[in-house]
Structures are given as C-alpha cells and as structure tokens.
Amino acid sequence: MVAKPSGTGRSGTEPAGQASGQAPADGGSAEPAEALAALVAKLRAELTGVRTAMRNRAVIEQAKGVLVERLGVSPDQGFDQLVRLSQRTNIKLIEVAAAIVGTTSPDPDAPDVVNLIDDELRQHVARSRTRTVPASDVPAPQVEKPRRRASRTPEVEALQSQHQLLSARIAATRGYDEIAEVLGTAPTAWPPPTAIMITLLDPDGAQRCVGAFGIPGEVRSRWSRIPPDPALPLVVAVQEVETIWLVGGEEVTRRFPVMDQLPFSGDTVLASPLISGERVLGAIIMSWADGLPDGDELRRYVAALLEPVARQIDTLIGDEIASAWFHVEGEESAQAAPAQVWLPTVVDVLHNPAALLSPVTVDGQLVDFRVEYANVMARQVFTAARVDPDEATLLAAYPTLGSTTLLPEFARMLQDGQPRRLEGLRADPRTDGVPAAQTISVHAVRLWDRVFAVWRIATEADLLYDQLLQAERIAGVGSFCWELRDPEPRCSPELIRLFHGGRDAARVPVDELTASVHADDLLAVQDAVRRTVVEGKHLLAEVRGAGRVNGRRLRLTAEPLFDDTGNVTAVRGTVQDVTEERAIEARLRRAEEALAAQRHRLADERRAAQALQKALLPTDPELGHMEGVEICGHCRSADRVGTVDGDWFDATSLPDGGTILVLGDVDDRGLSSMTTAARLRYAVRAYAALDLTPGAILSAVNGMLCAMEVEHTACLVVARYSPATRELRWAAAGQVAPVRYTAAGQGTVLSGPLGLPLGEVTEMQYSDTTVTLAPGDRVLLYTGGQARADRRRGGGLDLVRRAGEHIDLSDFDAMVTHLVTSLNIPEDEDVCAMLVHVP
C-alpha cells in the first residue's frame, strides 16, 4: 500500500504554492482562465479516480472475504496477503482480487463454486496475465488443501475473473452512461466494443435512449427515442424477448436494412433485452467493428454480463417506477401492472374524460375495449349514455362511432405504437346513445398493451367559436382587442392571416399595423386613433393598404372600453378587407352607365322600329278599297308591350283584280327584325306582281332570306283571293293553318301542308292549297306565336274555332280580344291577325 503524503490538508501531488491559485514559483503570472481550466481538469481526474476506486473496492472486499473464509485469517491479514501477492507477482491489486473472486464465479453453464488459493491462485493469475511466475514466490499457507473439481482451462478461468470484475464495477455505477462506459473501457479478454446503447422501454412500446458509449452526440440526439419499428434489432429483441447475435456486415444489413442509419453496422452486433425478474426494462445493443473471436464460450460470457447490467438498471429505476413496467410472462401480473397508485392520480386530475382501455379478444380477434379505469368526467359521460361505468366498454358507450372509427384506429395503434389525434368526430344520438349530437376530439396513446384515451366533447362555446372563425373567414373580417397596458393587440386568426398570409403568430405588432397604411392615409388614421384612445370616440375609417397588404383596401372599425372613472382602458374592433367590395362597386357603376347607354340606344331603336312598323302596315282606307273582299288587320301596339316584334300584315290589289294577303312573323325583336320584315314585305309584293302562286312566292322569298338574311328566320302565310271565283289559294311557311267561319258562325281549320319557316332550308319547296269560299264566309289568319302558345297550353285552338258561339264575328276588335284570351297570349308577346270577309 502507498502511504498518504504528509501536508496541511492539500493533495500530496499538488505544490503548496499553487493549491489556492497562487502565482507559480518562477514568478510568472498565470491567467485566471488557464488556472481555472487546470483546476477543473484536476478535479475531473480526481473524480474519475474516486469512481474507479469505488468500483474496485467491492471486488477487493469480496477477495478478502474469500481468503478470510478459506485461510482462517482476519480481514486485515487477508488484505496483507493480497498486497504481498500483488507485489511478488507484479500484478495490480485489483486484478489479483478479481482473479481470486473469479475462482468462485460460476460458469454460465455450471452453477457450482470452485475455490483456488495459494499456488493455484498464483498460477491462475499468471495465466490471466500470460506471464510465468515461479511457484516459490508465493508461500504455501499451512491450511487444509481445498476440495477440487475438474480443472478448468485458462481461457475459461480468465473469462470468469473478467466477468466478476465487470459485474462488480457495474454494480458500483450510478448512471446509465457510466454503465455503458464500464462495458466499453474495462480491460477484458475480448476486444472492447466500439459502440454501445442502452434503452428503457416506454409504455407505448417505444424505447428511450438513456445511456451510450462511442456514439456521437448528434446521432444520440436523433435516436433519443426509437419507435417500435420491427426493422430494428433492438425492437425485435424486446418484442420476442431473445438475444440476437449478428455476425458479418452483410448479415446485419440483410436482416435489418435500416441499421446503416445507426452506428452499429460492425462485423459483430449484439442486441438483447434487459430483463429483471419477469420485467423487460429495456434493451442494449453493442457492436464490434473488427468482430469477436470465434467461440460460443466467449459469447456466453459476454451475454452473461447483461444480467448484472439489468440488475443495476433496475436499481437505478427504483421500485416505484420499476413496478409499472410491462411483465414478460403471466397474464395476471400484466393486468395488474397499470393499476398502480400513480395512474389514478394522474387520470383524476385531468379536466377532460379519460380512460384506460384494455383489449377484449375473441378467438384471437380484437372485438372491443373494456374500460379498466375511468376518471370522474368519463364516468359521467358513460352514465349520460345509459352505460354502467363499472361495466362500460368502448362499443357500449359509442356503438357506431366506436365500431367505424375508434376501434379500428385503436387496433392499429396497438400494432404501430403511434399516438392518434382524431379531430371532429360526430356522435349521433340516434346511433351512439348520447343525449344530444356531439363533436368529439380524441387523443390516444398506447400504454403497455392497452390504450389510454382522453377525449373532449365540444361545448356550445367551442362550436360558436368555430362558427365565428368561419364567419370571419367568409366575410374577410379580422378582429382585435388592444388592452392599452399591453404593448401589442390580441388578434384573431383571420386578422393574422390578412396581414401575414397564414403565418403562425399570435399578434400583429403595432408597428406592422402602422406600416400597413398608405402614407397618404396615415395622418388621418393616426388622428382617428387619437380621438378613440384619448377622447373615447368610435373609429370608422377606410384606408389603402401598404407593405404586406399593398393594393388592398381596409375598413377599420373600433370602439373604446372604459373603466369606472371614464378612462379608456382598451380598444376593440375589426379590420375588413373591402377590396373586392370596392371592385364590385366599381364594376356596378360601369355596368349602370353601360345600361343607361343601352337603354337610350334601345329607346331610339324602338322609336325607329315603331315608325317602320307603322310604315309597313296598310291603313284602313287602303284595306277598304279591295275588290270583292273586306279586310281587317291588327298588330298589338308596341307601346303597350314595350317592345317591337317583327310581325306585320299586308294586303295589296293585283292587276287581274285579285288580292294578295300576307301575314308574317320574323324571329327576334327590335329594329333588326322590323328591317327584315320590311324586306320580306316588298319581296312578296314583287314576286306577286310576277303572277307567282303563293307556294312559289314562299320558295323564292326563302331563297332570298337564306342568302341575304342568314341571321333571321321568319314564319309567313301568303294567300291569293280571286273575287270572280271566290277561290282562296294559300301556302304557309311555319305558320298555323287559317280558320274558316261560315255565315252561320261555324268554324273549321283549313287543311293543307305547313312547310318549314323561311330561312331554315335553302332548297325548300312550298305547296299551295285552294279553297272556295261562300258568300258571308270569313277567314282568320294569325301569326305563329299564337300557334306555339296553343301547342304549349292545348285546347285554345278549339276555342278559336268556336268563336262564333261567343262573339259577333263582324266585330273585329272583339275577335282579336277573343283570340288573345283563348290562346292565353302573354302581355309581352306581339299579336298580329287578319280577318278576310266575303260580302
């Protein structure tokens, strides 16, 4: 033993002049930082030495106990024996002690105890150091020769002594990193590992890194929490509760491809669970870059070190925490693990319903979750759903929501270990047994083999808050409240989005609000704010935006809040983006101006159309001079209907004494349709002067319209009356057939072909129909608009045919009124009719 140097309380290795930071003996001045660094390094070295001594002390005490028991000497004599043996063999005292204790260490496969002393001890130590020592160097004690067993090989004895030494050092550690350091730095009969990681098993199945050796800090930080991924050997070792040896880099990457992301891709890798009793505490993984020597004996001793590691970790965790870890075997103990005192304590302080759910399986199939523990809030929820809290299950509380969403999500969570956050779930009172419709948010984690769920039922205030947020978004309005004692206003999410485009922030600083106002509007806004804050006036202003809201128009509305003394303490208000509103107003003004111009144009066109229509329609004196026939015509006044349709009628005498009768209707309205009607009127007169039949006239006019007026079509009926024979020869293009009334008032619809409207088909040929009228007969012609109305409503044509039963056929005005009433013609539709009477 080495005697402690004398001194005055200072370390024997420290110069007296530097013990308290004094200047060096040579007169040089030491920098304070350098002196402090030297002191820290010295203290760190002393701490390392103390830790090492503490680890070795247990081994030395065990060796003393072996000598005391076998040699029959006192503890001090046993220690002196150790010292003398160390001096004679030139072997460190701790290694001599480890060798003596190692002789009592069990082979992993042989639990009996073997004791060696004296010359056997010397030989064992010499073999462990591969050094030969003469037997005479160690005196043979005068004791009874111990019992012997079959001699062990030097390699086995060396492994046993190293196992005992490492076990003692591990038992003396006080932290997880220290355990990893002992495994990575202690001298052993095998190569030291290049990387070590120790993990603890979390309740959700993930593993938390608590100790490491030979791993860079950034890598350890990235893998501080390892998910339950079966592609990692640590996870497989814990899930299957087995030790995994991987030899050869190719085997490592073949079985676990993601291992290249961890610093454990050496030639040999060991991954094993850490088990204390029946509890899986965590796992350990070690790798050797150059591999381990071949041999199952060496691997057994390396794996045997995991038992003292697990014991020490169990000690570090403590009985209270260790009792809650998941058990490897025994369903009864596994069920009891979560029901510790801490779980109800934690669950009961939650303000929301919370419950621990244990899976219910039938034939290995998950069918439900039983409520193992629920806090007061959750029990109230179960009671409201008419479910006994002590017998509650997931599907009993929420039949539809549980079966469609919660049960599948929880089942997947038990497999992958990932927490679930389920928002906006709807519980229907018709299917889930809840007293009213509910919106539920569920947050769940895996806890051992169970599910711990916390859910929140949205209150009316929550729903109104969401509704107000949506209303702000729809209206483009953001709100704020500025307590004047605070430096910044509190803003709604929509106001933050307005100024920051959705950036995650809680406030919009005042300087940003000021910078968001156009320079030309800033003084007016500042004056309005001053009146609100100082004078308590309401604020209403509209400004142009700048900065982040450049090109926008914002409407500011605010009101002051007063205290009991009448002073303004806060201002609350809204900011609305009215850019689109102002743009719509501008477009509306432009549309109104365009509409006014259009109205003027249409009024001018209508006046022109009315004038043209009046010019086209024959006057009564002209109609009254037709030979052998009396003609009445009518077109509803354009002033009454508000528009001018392309309807007209015409009657003109022919050189042979006959009369051409024409009734037409051009599609569309206004000046354009009346212009086309005028062209058709004069074209019919021209073709009639050439002595063409009504059908030939329609064919010729159709060709002209297809060639010159492609944008219009027209319905037209042309009739030629001969007074000498009282024959009426007529042809129709898209019009209705004329109606004939006898002198007695009986009406019939004339039969004959009705061709397509003019302008539809270029090569259309129209045919004539001839009818002989009797004295006193009347023939009614009317435009095709009424025909369309008749087809829509039905029955109206029969009323027209029986007009003589209701009115005097000689009263033309009454005839037109009956026609409009029978066919129910709308007020905005033109009416054009001709009544031909044979005297």
Side-chain angles (χ1 to χ4, degrees), residues 203-237:
D204 61 354
Q207 297 183 40
R208 177 167 38 92
C209 176
V210 294
F213 172 79
I215 300 177
E218 62 275 9
V219 177
R220 177 173 178 174
S221 176
R222 187 168 67 250
W223 290 91
S224 60
R225 181 174 168 85
I226 302 173
D229 185 357
L232 295 172
L234 273 174
V235 177
V236 175

mmCIF file of all heavy atoms in Angstrom, residues 203-237:
data_model
loop_
_atom_site.group_PDB
_atom_site.id
_atom_site.type_symbol
_atom_site.label_atom_id
_atom_site.label_comp_id
_atom_site.label_asym_id
_atom_site.label_seq_id
_atom_site.Cartn_x
_atom_site.Cartn_y
_atom_site.Cartn_z
ATOM 1 N N PRO A 203 -44.018 3.044 -22.041
ATOM 2 C CA PRO A 203 -45.305 2.326 -22.051
ATOM 3 C C PRO A 203 -45.917 2.154 -23.427
ATOM 4 O O PRO A 203 -46.686 1.233 -23.648
ATOM 5 C CB PRO A 203 -46.191 3.215 -21.161
ATOM 6 C CG PRO A 203 -45.241 3.923 -20.261
ATOM 7 C CD PRO A 203 -44.017 4.161 -21.087
ATOM 8 N N ASP A 204 -45.606 3.055 -24.383
ATOM 9 C CA ASP A 204 -46.210 2.950 -25.704
ATOM 10 C C ASP A 204 -45.446 2.028 -26.635
ATOM 11 O O ASP A 204 -45.747 1.953 -27.825
ATOM 12 C CB ASP A 204 -46.329 4.337 -26.346
ATOM 13 C CG ASP A 204 -44.984 5.001 -26.522
ATOM 14 O OD1 ASP A 204 -43.973 4.439 -26.046
ATOM 15 O OD2 ASP A 204 -44.939 6.086 -27.141
ATOM 16 N N GLY A 205 -44.445 1.306 -26.113
ATOM 17 C CA GLY A 205 -43.700 0.370 -26.936
ATOM 18 C C GLY A 205 -42.435 0.945 -27.539
ATOM 19 O O GLY A 205 -41.610 0.197 -28.070
ATOM 20 N N ALA A 206 -42.263 2.260 -27.512
ATOM 21 C CA ALA A 206 -41.034 2.868 -27.998
ATOM 22 C C ALA A 206 -39.927 2.675 -26.956
ATOM 23 O O ALA A 206 -40.176 2.337 -25.798
ATOM 24 C CB ALA A 206 -41.252 4.345 -28.304
ATOM 25 N N GLN A 207 -38.676 2.903 -27.390
ATOM 26 C CA GLN A 207 -37.527 2.772 -26.499
ATOM 27 C C GLN A 207 -36.801 4.113 -26.427
ATOM 28 O O GLN A 207 -36.597 4.775 -27.438
ATOM 29 C CB GLN A 207 -36.576 1.681 -26.992
ATOM 30 C CG GLN A 207 -37.208 0.295 -27.003
ATOM 31 C CD GLN A 207 -36.229 -0.785 -27.418
ATOM 32 O OE1 GLN A 207 -35.067 -0.760 -27.028
ATOM 33 N NE2 GLN A 207 -36.701 -1.738 -28.215
ATOM 34 N N ARG A 208 -36.432 4.466 -25.205
ATOM 35 C CA ARG A 208 -35.797 5.749 -24.950
ATOM 36 C C ARG A 208 -34.337 5.521 -24.618
ATOM 37 O O ARG A 208 -34.005 4.777 -23.697
ATOM 38 C CB ARG A 208 -36.535 6.437 -23.801
ATOM 39 C CG ARG A 208 -35.975 7.744 -23.344
ATOM 40 C CD ARG A 208 -37.002 8.448 -22.440
ATOM 41 N NE ARG A 208 -37.697 7.515 -21.579
ATOM 42 C CZ ARG A 208 -37.295 7.202 -20.346
ATOM 43 N NH1 ARG A 208 -36.206 7.751 -19.861
ATOM 44 N NH2 ARG A 208 -38.006 6.353 -19.625
ATOM 45 N N CYS A 209 -33.447 6.163 -25.372
ATOM 46 C CA CYS A 209 -32.008 6.016 -25.147
ATOM 47 C C CYS A 209 -31.621 6.755 -23.869
ATOM 48 O O CYS A 209 -31.848 7.963 -23.740
ATOM 49 C CB CYS A 209 -31.229 6.568 -26.341
ATOM 50 S SG CYS A 209 -29.428 6.528 -26.103
ATOM 51 N N VAL A 210 -31.046 6.005 -22.897
ATOM 52 C CA VAL A 210 -30.647 6.610 -21.623
ATOM 53 C C VAL A 210 -29.149 6.555 -21.404
ATOM 54 O O VAL A 210 -28.623 7.275 -20.548
ATOM 55 C CB VAL A 210 -31.387 5.925 -20.456
ATOM 56 C CG1 VAL A 210 -32.876 6.201 -20.537
ATOM 57 C CG2 VAL A 210 -31.121 4.427 -20.436
ATOM 58 N N GLY A 211 -28.443 5.700 -22.118
ATOM 59 C CA GLY A 211 -27.005 5.592 -21.953
ATOM 60 C C GLY A 211 -26.337 5.183 -23.245
ATOM 61 O O GLY A 211 -26.918 4.445 -24.053
ATOM 62 N N ALA A 212 -25.129 5.678 -23.480
ATOM 63 C CA ALA A 212 -24.442 5.365 -24.725
ATOM 64 C C ALA A 212 -22.943 5.509 -24.531
ATOM 65 O O ALA A 212 -22.464 6.232 -23.645
ATOM 66 C CB ALA A 212 -24.927 6.274 -25.855
ATOM 67 N N PHE A 213 -22.207 4.818 -25.390
ATOM 68 C CA PHE A 213 -20.747 4.903 -25.406
ATOM 69 C C PHE A 213 -20.297 4.776 -26.857
ATOM 70 O O PHE A 213 -20.776 3.917 -27.597
ATOM 71 C CB PHE A 213 -20.127 3.784 -24.558
ATOM 72 C CG PHE A 213 -18.626 3.701 -24.675
ATOM 73 C CD1 PHE A 213 -17.816 4.591 -23.973
ATOM 74 C CD2 PHE A 213 -18.028 2.762 -25.503
ATOM 75 C CE1 PHE A 213 -16.438 4.519 -24.102
ATOM 76 C CE2 PHE A 213 -16.655 2.686 -25.621
ATOM 77 C CZ PHE A 213 -15.843 3.571 -24.925
ATOM 78 N N GLY A 214 -19.360 5.643 -27.251
ATOM 79 C CA GLY A 214 -18.826 5.579 -28.602
ATOM 80 C C GLY A 214 -19.788 6.072 -29.667
ATOM 81 O O GLY A 214 -19.614 5.744 -30.844
ATOM 82 N N ILE A 215 -20.813 6.853 -29.288
ATOM 83 C CA ILE A 215 -21.812 7.358 -30.234
ATOM 84 C C ILE A 215 -21.746 8.879 -30.227
ATOM 85 O O ILE A 215 -21.820 9.492 -29.150
ATOM 86 C CB ILE A 215 -23.229 6.880 -29.868
ATOM 87 C CG1 ILE A 215 -23.293 5.353 -29.879
ATOM 88 C CG2 ILE A 215 -24.260 7.451 -30.828
ATOM 89 C CD1 ILE A 215 -24.633 4.814 -29.450
ATOM 90 N N PRO A 216 -21.607 9.519 -31.391
ATOM 91 C CA PRO A 216 -21.574 10.988 -31.431
ATOM 92 C C PRO A 216 -22.856 11.584 -30.849
ATOM 93 O O PRO A 216 -23.933 10.986 -30.884
ATOM 94 C CB PRO A 216 -21.447 11.306 -32.928
ATOM 95 C CG PRO A 216 -20.868 10.059 -33.535
ATOM 96 C CD PRO A 216 -21.399 8.923 -32.718
ATOM 97 N N GLY A 217 -22.727 12.796 -30.309
ATOM 98 C CA GLY A 217 -23.857 13.439 -29.659
ATOM 99 C C GLY A 217 -25.027 13.675 -30.589
ATOM 100 O O GLY A 217 -26.186 13.484 -30.215
ATOM 101 N N GLU A 218 -24.752 14.098 -31.860
ATOM 102 C CA GLU A 218 -25.864 14.368 -32.758
ATOM 103 C C GLU A 218 -26.606 13.091 -33.142
ATOM 104 O O GLU A 218 -27.829 13.089 -33.313
ATOM 105 C CB GLU A 218 -25.380 15.087 -34.020
ATOM 106 C CG GLU A 218 -24.386 14.305 -34.874
ATOM 107 C CD GLU A 218 -22.944 14.453 -34.400
ATOM 108 O OE1 GLU A 218 -22.745 15.026 -33.302
ATOM 109 O OE2 GLU A 218 -22.047 14.004 -35.111
ATOM 110 N N VAL A 219 -25.876 11.971 -33.243
ATOM 111 C CA VAL A 219 -26.534 10.701 -33.549
ATOM 112 C C VAL A 219 -27.390 10.259 -32.365
ATOM 113 O O VAL A 219 -28.530 9.807 -32.526
ATOM 114 C CB VAL A 219 -25.487 9.627 -33.901
ATOM 115 C CG1 VAL A 219 -26.154 8.278 -34.147
ATOM 116 C CG2 VAL A 219 -24.687 10.052 -35.122
ATOM 117 N N ARG A 220 -26.857 10.416 -31.172
ATOM 118 C CA ARG A 220 -27.631 10.032 -29.976
ATOM 119 C C ARG A 220 -28.874 10.892 -29.849
ATOM 120 O O ARG A 220 -29.942 10.395 -29.480
ATOM 121 C CB ARG A 220 -26.755 10.175 -28.743
ATOM 122 C CG ARG A 220 -27.498 9.872 -27.445
ATOM 123 C CD ARG A 220 -26.561 9.866 -26.266
ATOM 124 N NE ARG A 220 -27.298 9.623 -25.024
ATOM 125 C CZ ARG A 220 -26.722 9.448 -23.844
ATOM 126 N NH1 ARG A 220 -25.400 9.484 -23.760
ATOM 127 N NH2 ARG A 220 -27.453 9.238 -22.779
ATOM 128 N N SER A 221 -28.754 12.184 -30.167
ATOM 129 C CA SER A 221 -29.915 13.057 -30.086
ATOM 130 C C SER A 221 -30.975 12.647 -31.102
ATOM 131 O O SER A 221 -32.176 12.665 -30.797
ATOM 132 C CB SER A 221 -29.493 14.506 -30.313
ATOM 133 O OG SER A 221 -30.602 15.359 -30.324
ATOM 134 N N ARG A 222 -30.544 12.273 -32.321
ATOM 135 C CA ARG A 222 -31.502 11.888 -33.350
ATOM 136 C C ARG A 222 -32.216 10.596 -32.993
ATOM 137 O O ARG A 222 -33.391 10.412 -33.343
ATOM 138 C CB ARG A 222 -30.786 11.752 -34.698
ATOM 139 C CG ARG A 222 -31.734 11.513 -35.863
ATOM 140 C CD ARG A 222 -31.049 11.679 -37.200
ATOM 141 N NE ARG A 222 -30.044 10.667 -37.444
ATOM 142 C CZ ARG A 222 -28.730 10.899 -37.459
ATOM 143 N NH1 ARG A 222 -28.276 12.113 -37.230
ATOM 144 N NH2 ARG A 222 -27.858 9.929 -37.687
ATOM 145 N N TRP A 223 -31.539 9.703 -32.288
ATOM 146 C CA TRP A 223 -32.133 8.422 -31.914
ATOM 147 C C TRP A 223 -32.429 8.378 -30.415
ATOM 148 O O TRP A 223 -32.370 7.317 -29.797
ATOM 149 C CB TRP A 223 -31.203 7.276 -32.297
ATOM 150 C CG TRP A 223 -31.122 7.076 -33.767
ATOM 151 C CD1 TRP A 223 -30.238 7.643 -34.624
ATOM 152 C CD2 TRP A 223 -31.987 6.267 -34.567
ATOM 153 N NE1 TRP A 223 -30.491 7.246 -35.910
ATOM 154 C CE2 TRP A 223 -31.558 6.391 -35.905
ATOM 155 C CE3 TRP A 223 -33.080 5.454 -34.273
ATOM 156 C CZ2 TRP A 223 -32.187 5.738 -36.947
ATOM 157 C CZ3 TRP A 223 -33.705 4.794 -35.314
ATOM 158 C CH2 TRP A 223 -33.256 4.935 -36.632
ATOM 159 N N SER A 224 -32.782 9.541 -29.836
ATOM 160 C CA SER A 224 -33.099 9.567 -28.412
ATOM 161 C C SER A 224 -34.367 8.771 -28.109
ATOM 162 O O SER A 224 -34.537 8.293 -26.992
ATOM 163 C CB SER A 224 -33.257 11.019 -27.946
ATOM 164 O OG SER A 224 -34.312 11.649 -28.662
ATOM 165 N N ARG A 225 -35.248 8.660 -29.079
ATOM 166 C CA ARG A 225 -36.474 7.860 -28.913
ATOM 167 C C ARG A 225 -36.630 6.989 -30.148
ATOM 168 O O ARG A 225 -36.748 7.495 -31.268
ATOM 169 C CB ARG A 225 -37.683 8.767 -28.723
ATOM 170 C CG ARG A 225 -38.985 8.015 -28.528
ATOM 171 C CD ARG A 225 -40.113 8.982 -28.199
ATOM 172 N NE ARG A 225 -41.425 8.356 -28.285
ATOM 173 C CZ ARG A 225 -41.995 7.659 -27.299
ATOM 174 N NH1 ARG A 225 -41.347 7.517 -26.154
ATOM 175 N NH2 ARG A 225 -43.192 7.124 -27.439
ATOM 176 N N ILE A 226 -36.624 5.689 -29.950
ATOM 177 C CA ILE A 226 -36.666 4.725 -31.044
ATOM 178 C C ILE A 226 -38.085 4.174 -31.154
ATOM 179 O O ILE A 226 -38.593 3.575 -30.192
ATOM 180 C CB ILE A 226 -35.659 3.583 -30.817
ATOM 181 C CG1 ILE A 226 -34.240 4.162 -30.675
ATOM 182 C CG2 ILE A 226 -35.715 2.570 -31.944
ATOM 183 C CD1 ILE A 226 -33.207 3.135 -30.286
ATOM 184 N N PRO A 227 -38.761 4.372 -32.270
ATOM 185 C CA PRO A 227 -40.129 3.853 -32.414
ATOM 186 C C PRO A 227 -40.134 2.330 -32.477
ATOM 187 O O PRO A 227 -39.113 1.708 -32.779
ATOM 188 C CB PRO A 227 -40.590 4.473 -33.743
ATOM 189 C CG PRO A 227 -39.334 4.715 -34.502
ATOM 190 C CD PRO A 227 -38.283 5.063 -33.491
ATOM 191 N N PRO A 228 -41.276 1.714 -32.210
ATOM 192 C CA PRO A 228 -41.354 0.236 -32.246
ATOM 193 C C PRO A 228 -41.350 -0.295 -33.672
ATOM 194 O O PRO A 228 -42.320 -0.897 -34.136
ATOM 195 C CB PRO A 228 -42.679 -0.054 -31.521
ATOM 196 C CG PRO A 228 -43.505 1.176 -31.713
ATOM 197 C CD PRO A 228 -42.535 2.322 -31.725
ATOM 198 N N ASP A 229 -40.253 -0.063 -34.378
ATOM 199 C CA ASP A 229 -40.121 -0.464 -35.775
ATOM 200 C C ASP A 229 -39.468 -1.847 -35.826
ATOM 201 O O ASP A 229 -38.328 -2.024 -35.363
ATOM 202 C CB ASP A 229 -39.268 0.560 -36.521
ATOM 203 C CG ASP A 229 -39.180 0.267 -38.015
ATOM 204 O OD1 ASP A 229 -39.737 -0.767 -38.445
ATOM 205 O OD2 ASP A 229 -38.566 1.064 -38.746
ATOM 206 N N PRO A 230 -40.169 -2.855 -36.366
ATOM 207 C CA PRO A 230 -39.585 -4.211 -36.404
ATOM 208 C C PRO A 230 -38.367 -4.321 -37.295
ATOM 209 O O PRO A 230 -37.767 -5.389 -37.359
ATOM 210 C CB PRO A 230 -40.749 -5.076 -36.918
ATOM 211 C CG PRO A 230 -41.639 -4.129 -37.656
ATOM 212 C CD PRO A 230 -41.523 -2.811 -36.945
ATOM 213 N N ALA A 231 -37.988 -3.255 -37.989
ATOM 214 C CA ALA A 231 -36.785 -3.296 -38.820
ATOM 215 C C ALA A 231 -35.529 -3.033 -38.003
ATOM 216 O O ALA A 231 -34.427 -3.017 -38.558
ATOM 217 C CB ALA A 231 -36.887 -2.273 -39.962
ATOM 218 N N LEU A 232 -35.652 -2.809 -36.690
ATOM 219 C CA LEU A 232 -34.508 -2.558 -35.819
ATOM 220 C C LEU A 232 -34.312 -3.747 -34.883
ATOM 221 O O LEU A 232 -35.274 -4.251 -34.293
ATOM 222 C CB LEU A 232 -34.739 -1.284 -35.003
ATOM 223 C CG LEU A 232 -34.828 0.025 -35.801
ATOM 224 C CD1 LEU A 232 -35.254 1.166 -34.896
ATOM 225 C CD2 LEU A 232 -33.497 0.338 -36.463
ATOM 226 N N PRO A 233 -33.070 -4.217 -34.713
ATOM 227 C CA PRO A 233 -32.835 -5.388 -33.849
ATOM 228 C C PRO A 233 -33.194 -5.123 -32.394
ATOM 229 O O PRO A 233 -33.606 -6.028 -31.683
ATOM 230 C CB PRO A 233 -31.341 -5.661 -34.036
ATOM 231 C CG PRO A 233 -30.764 -4.383 -34.557
ATOM 232 C CD PRO A 233 -31.834 -3.737 -35.351
ATOM 233 N N LEU A 234 -33.044 -3.875 -31.926
ATOM 234 C CA LEU A 234 -33.443 -3.562 -30.549
ATOM 235 C C LEU A 234 -34.922 -3.872 -30.327
ATOM 236 O O LEU A 234 -35.308 -4.417 -29.294
ATOM 237 C CB LEU A 234 -33.172 -2.082 -30.267
ATOM 238 C CG LEU A 234 -31.777 -1.688 -29.780
ATOM 239 C CD1 LEU A 234 -31.667 -0.184 -29.705
ATOM 240 C CD2 LEU A 234 -31.474 -2.309 -28.439
ATOM 241 N N VAL A 235 -35.747 -3.494 -31.298
ATOM 242 C CA VAL A 235 -37.185 -3.697 -31.175
ATOM 243 C C VAL A 235 -37.523 -5.185 -31.215
ATOM 244 O O VAL A 235 -38.325 -5.682 -30.432
ATOM 245 C CB VAL A 235 -37.928 -2.922 -32.281
ATOM 246 C CG1 VAL A 235 -39.423 -3.191 -32.216
ATOM 247 C CG2 VAL A 235 -37.643 -1.427 -32.176
ATOM 248 N N VAL A 236 -36.905 -5.909 -32.135
ATOM 249 C CA VAL A 236 -37.160 -7.348 -32.252
ATOM 250 C C VAL A 236 -36.718 -8.075 -30.983
ATOM 251 O O VAL A 236 -37.405 -8.978 -30.491
ATOM 252 C CB VAL A 236 -36.449 -7.903 -33.493
ATOM 253 C CG1 VAL A 236 -36.609 -9.420 -33.570
ATOM 254 C CG2 VAL A 236 -36.993 -7.262 -34.755
ATOM 255 N N ALA A 237 -35.581 -7.679 -30.421
ATOM 256 C CA ALA A 237 -35.082 -8.326 -29.212
ATOM 257 C C ALA A 237 -36.068 -8.161 -28.060
ATOM 258 O O ALA A 237 -36.303 -9.095 -27.282
ATOM 259 C CB ALA A 237 -33.718 -7.745 -28.842
#
